[in-house]
Amino acid sequence: MPDTLNNIAKQGENGATMMPIIQGVGRAAIEIAAVLRGAVFRGALGEAGGENVQGEQQQMLDVLSDEIFLEEMRSTGFICAVGSEEQEELLVIEEYTHADYLVLVDPLDGSSNLDVDGPVGTIFSVVKRKSANSERPHVSDTLQSGRHVVAAGYVLYGPSTMLVCSVGSGVNGYTFNPAVARFEMSHADMRIPATGGYYSVNESNKDKWQDNMGDNLRRLKAETGLGMRYVGAMVADMHRTILKGGVFFYPADNKNTTGKLRLLYEAIPMGFIMEQAGGKSMSKDIAVLDIVPEALHQRVPVYLGSEANVDSLLG
Ligand code: AHG
Ligand code: MN
Ligand code: MN
């Protein structure tokens, strides 16, 4: 009998408390995957007609995925509030304001890939509240550095649906097996290779990059001879980087002067996974996980990959 998400209960000191929350993520993933597969038949592809707080056009599937994820977090009974890329304010779960944990989520990552049937993902992290359980959860509960993350992970909606997660004792990957309708452990103890792989970046921005990154990339390429891959969905680019090695990065540029990727919904959860997989996660001169967030929708530069590649890029 293969290991399922139940196995998370045996992982590290937080596994038992995190298991029901990650099972909730698994239920959301199954629903979101089904909605993605059927979207074209229901007219659910395309823009929703609104903008999110970041000024980006929301797709209908961004909105649906956000609703599904929130409902599944509510159903666990362990979450008092959810901070979402698609919601301006922290969403308090009124039935469970006393619960211990908050979740931060990018419900649908890489949504520009939807129109071309490309891979997309979901990214999440869990933190314990700082405020007393008798109080109403507050946005300040989410503004904790990545060193306080209790669990994090991502779902990749590709040819198969995969849930990759960590409760702080390594990274495991579970693949949804449709024959038995459950996630089964398929990638135990994922570790990024120390060498080899690919560099992954939107190189069309090179002339706008800050921090000398154009020269640094030229040096990395000369030193390593790495090939290049870029899907444009962080989940897919990170998943390949962990399995094959290399580095994924999104520097600050003259348009996105503080970087593009969101600290709480993308950088911290992926930084946590990368460190747990034996790699390095930097935001220029500070580790991603050492940044103390100042705002829910803050953006930062990210450099995630094998230690040697990240050091070479930032050197
Ligand atoms: P989202 O779809 O959640 O807004 O995220 C898109 C992000 C990330 O997934 C990806 O790495 C990056 O944007 C791609 O940006 P560019 O199109 O600028 O390369
Ligand atoms: Mn995203
Ligand atoms: Mn998104």
Side-chain angles (χ1 to χ4, degrees):
M1 165 105 172
D3 281 325
T4 64
L5 295 180
N6 293 345
N7 173 265
I8 291 166
K10 295 189 215 145
Q11 295 170 19
E13 60 187 58
N14 295 313
T17 31
M18 289 301 104
M19 184 189 72
I21 296 171
I22 297 174
Q23 285 175 322
V25 174
R27 289 193 299 276
I30 294 167
E31 277 180 70
I32 292 170
V35 169
L36 291 171
R37 276 195 301 272
V40 73
F41 309 114
R42 292 184 208 136
L45 285 176
E47 290 175 358
E51 278 186 357
N52 65 15
V53 60
Q54 348 240 346
E56 296 161 341
Q57 286 294 329
Q58 281 181 313
Q59 308 254 0
M60 281 180 264
L61 290 168
D62 283 321
V63 176
L64 279 170
S65 305
D66 191 46
E67 284 171 13
I68 292 168
F69 195 89
L70 177 69
E71 275 317 302
E72 289 301 344
M73 289 301 102
R74 186 198 307 276
S75 79
T76 68
F78 294 105
I79 303 297
C80 61
V82 175
S84 166
E85 183 183 283
E86 300 303 335
Q87 302 283 342
E88 185 163 1
E89 312 275 351
L90 183 71
L91 275 166
V92 175
I93 298 185
E94 297 298 341
E95 303 96 297
Y96 300 109
T97 54
H98 61 278
D100 282 335
Y101 296 98
L102 294 94
V103 171
L104 292 147
V105 67
D106 175 356
L108 202 56
D109 171 67
S111 41
S112 70
N113 277 351
L114 289 168
D115 289 342
V116 296
D117 207 20
V120 290
T122 296
I123 311 173
F124 72 96
S125 62
V126 184
V127 290
K128 193 163 190 180
R129 67 191 296 165
K130 294 188 291 182
S131 57
N133 294 60
S134 54
E135 288 174 26
R136 192 175 167 77
H138 184 260
V139 67
S140 59
D141 286 312
T142 68
L143 304 181
Q144 304 188 46
S145 85
R147 301 292 171 205
H148 296 275
V149 164
V150 191
Y154 58 83
V155 180
L156 174 59
Y157 309 99
S160 62
T161 298
M162 268 198 82
L163 196 167
V164 173
C165 63
S166 173
V167 292
S169 55
V171 180
N172 292 298
Y174 302 81
T175 301
F176 184 68
N177 181 348
V180 283
R182 67 182 180 210
F183 283 94
E184 296 179 359
M185 195 189 281
S186 52
H187 296 61
D189 195 18
M190 292 166 63
R191 308 279 303 168
I192 181 169
T195 56
Y198 303 92
Y199 73 92
S200 184
V201 68
N202 187 338
E203 215 165 342
S204 70
N205 294 328
K206 188 158 67 181
D207 294 341
K208 292 183 278 175
W209 284 343
Q210 299 183 349
D211 307 315
N212 226 22
M213 225 18 86
D215 289 343
N216 291 8
L217 176 59
R218 212 168 299 128
R219 191 184 58 232
L220 175 83
K221 285 157 74 170
E223 278 174 10
T224 62
L226 288 182
M228 188 268 208
R229 294 281 187 280
Y230 191 68
V231 173
M234 186 188 198
V235 168
D237 284 317
M238 274 289 296
H239 187 64
R240 183 198 55 255
T241 303
I242 295 170
L243 291 179
K244 302 285 185 191
V247 58
F248 165 81
F249 58 113
Y250 207 112
D253 60 41
N254 294 342
K255 188 169 141 226
N256 304 293
T257 53
T258 59
K260 178 182 179 190
L261 298 179
R262 274 68 42 140
L263 176 60
L264 282 166
Y265 316 118
E266 296 171 322
I268 286 179
M270 288 304 199
F272 183 84
I273 290 290
M274 185 53 89
E275 284 201 7
Q276 286 292 321
K280 193 160 180 176
S281 301
M282 296 297 290
S283 179
K284 226 176 90 183
D285 45 8
I286 182 172
V288 168
L289 300 188
D290 286 332
I291 301 173
V292 180
E294 289 167 3
L296 211 44
H297 301 290
Q298 186 176 344
R299 296 169 191 258
V300 293
V302 294
Y303 301 85
L304 309 174
S306 65
E307 186 170 354
N309 284 175
V310 172
D311 286 347
S312 165
L313 259 185
L314 295 173

